[in-house]
Amino acid sequence: MDRLNKPKVVVIGGGTGMPVLLRGLKYFPIDLSAIVTVADDGGSSGRLRSELSIPAPGDIRNVLAAMSDAEPMLLDLFQHRFVNGNGLSGHSMGNLLLAAMTSMTGDFYHGIKEISRVLNVKGNIYPIANHSMNLHAEMEDGTLVTGESNIPKANKRIKRVYVSPLPIQPLPEAMEAIKDADLVVIAPGSLYTSILPNIIIPEIGQALRETKAKVTYVCNVMTQEGETSGYTAADHVQAIYDHVGEGCIHSVVVHNKPIGPNIRKVYAEENAEPVHYDMDRIKALGLNIIEEDIIDKSQAAIRHDTTKLAHLLHSML
């Protein structure tokens, strides 16, 4: 099947939830695109970003690895993190390669395209913007916190997040991908620091409202301390609506099996608990609810099951 006839699927997000989704979807006969946040400012990604004035490469690196069909050894090398070495310590090889390729091509997005070729990536990867951006949060108590990595640490209820410097110029290719999609998936992940930084860019929000695609949100299974403590599924959706406007999502995917007591105990130590699915409120928000057992039982931590989720999303086409 050529690219023109394949259904077009766009996944938007960042953090750890997005690669899980992409790893499963890359094996389906679809034209797959990923739109990835670059608002990260912690660790290796943050250091390269401030030293080299490039968009944060960390989330892009994980998406490249997830969508790649390269030799396992090459991927291990790409994801390798140096533990010692003056100046190298803490950096991951993939971040350094992205920084080098950006420097060689003079452009972050072109750098990603070149590395995608080397790693035999199945699909397209678009940074949300081709320049660096900062994430800020206004808390319910009126305090302002700057920096993606600092927002959860403040451990206050978040009123809203916003980005600078304005205007953010979203990558035209990313806008195009949303417009032409058959299915747009908002990946699971940190609501305020991985998901919203992409969709609060006005043009992206508008593209989501105007696309002919079905837009579905894969809701988190657990709450996250400092971001979504006490949030129900409808609270997650409401936060997206508050930032982007109603009508930008059509359905929500939720895990519908109970979480075992042992795993709950482990998460309770991080002040996290299963997200309560308040079906009536979700329906009142005008959304279809897609319920499925989508957790990977083989993992000690709670992760979405790559294969189950990919099958479920593909069936929505």
Side-chain angles (χ1 to χ4, degrees), residues 213-235:
K214 294 185 223 174
V215 182
T216 194
Y217 167 50
V218 181
C219 191
N220 294 342
V221 180
M222 304 299 284
T223 62
Q224 184 182 352
E225 185 177 27
E227 291 208 26
T228 54
S229 294
Y231 274 43
T232 65
D235 291 332

Side-chain angles (χ1 to χ4, degrees), residues 87-269:
L88 264 183
S89 168
H91 277 309
S92 90
M93 189 68 194
N95 287 354
L96 295 173
L97 283 172
L98 277 162
M101 199 60 98
T102 301
S103 165
M104 282 164 64
T105 58
D107 180 272
F108 187 58
Y109 173 51
H110 279 110
I112 294 166
K113 278 209 295 200
E114 291 301 324
I115 289 184
S116 294
R117 285 224 317 263
V118 173
L119 290 179
N120 196 19
V121 161
K122 300 281 175 238
N124 309 295
I125 298 174
Y126 304 117
I128 190 71
N130 216 0
H131 54 86
S132 209
M133 57 194 245
N134 297 304
L135 187 66
H136 311 271
E138 181 189 347
M139 302 301 180
E140 295 266 325
D141 67 2
T143 52
L144 296 177
V145 178
T146 289
E148 175 266 349
S149 58
N150 298 322
I151 291 168
K153 287 183 201 150
N155 215 355
K156 296 180 171 184
R157 280 191 84 77
I158 299 168
K159 183 177 174 188
R160 67 181 184 111
V161 287
Y162 58 98
V163 286
S164 70
L166 293 174
I168 297 284
Q169 274 132 11
L171 200 71
E173 289 85 346
M175 310 277 299
E176 206 60 38
I178 294 171
K179 231 173 22 211
D180 294 343
D182 296 297
L183 176 67
V184 176
V185 184
I186 298 174
S190 302
L191 180 62
Y192 288 100
T193 53
S194 292
I195 308 307
L196 283 168
N198 290 319
I199 57 182
I200 52 180
I201 295 168
E203 294 88 337
I204 297 286
Q206 191 175 343
L208 282 174
R209 282 192 299 274
E210 291 174 359
T211 179
K212 62 181 185 353
K214 294 185 223 174
V215 182
T216 194
Y217 167 50
V218 181
C219 191
N220 294 342
V221 180
M222 304 299 284
T223 62
Q224 184 182 352
E225 185 177 27
E227 291 208 26
T228 54
S229 294
Y231 274 43
T232 65
D235 291 332
H236 281 75
V237 172
Q238 190 62 55
I240 294 172
Y241 278 3
D242 290 347
H243 282 78
V244 186
E246 290 184 17
C248 59
I249 307 173
H250 308 131
S251 61
V252 60
V253 175
V254 297
H255 172 67
N256 66 353
K257 291 284 180 283
I259 306 292
N262 293 349
I263 289 200
R264 289 175 84 123
K265 205 185 283 176
V266 173
Y267 273 86
E269 287 169 17

Side-chain angles (χ1 to χ4, degrees), residues 78-95:
F78 188 67
Q79 290 287 48
H80 175 73
R81 198 174 284 278
F82 294 94
V83 280
N84 40 30
N86 196 1
L88 264 183
S89 168
H91 277 309
S92 90
M93 189 68 194
N95 287 354

Side-chain angles (χ1 to χ4, degrees), residues 19-31:
V20 173
L21 221 71
L22 295 166
R23 265 198 296 276
L25 282 172
K26 74 177 172 191
Y27 295 112
F28 283 84
I30 55 175
D31 182 1

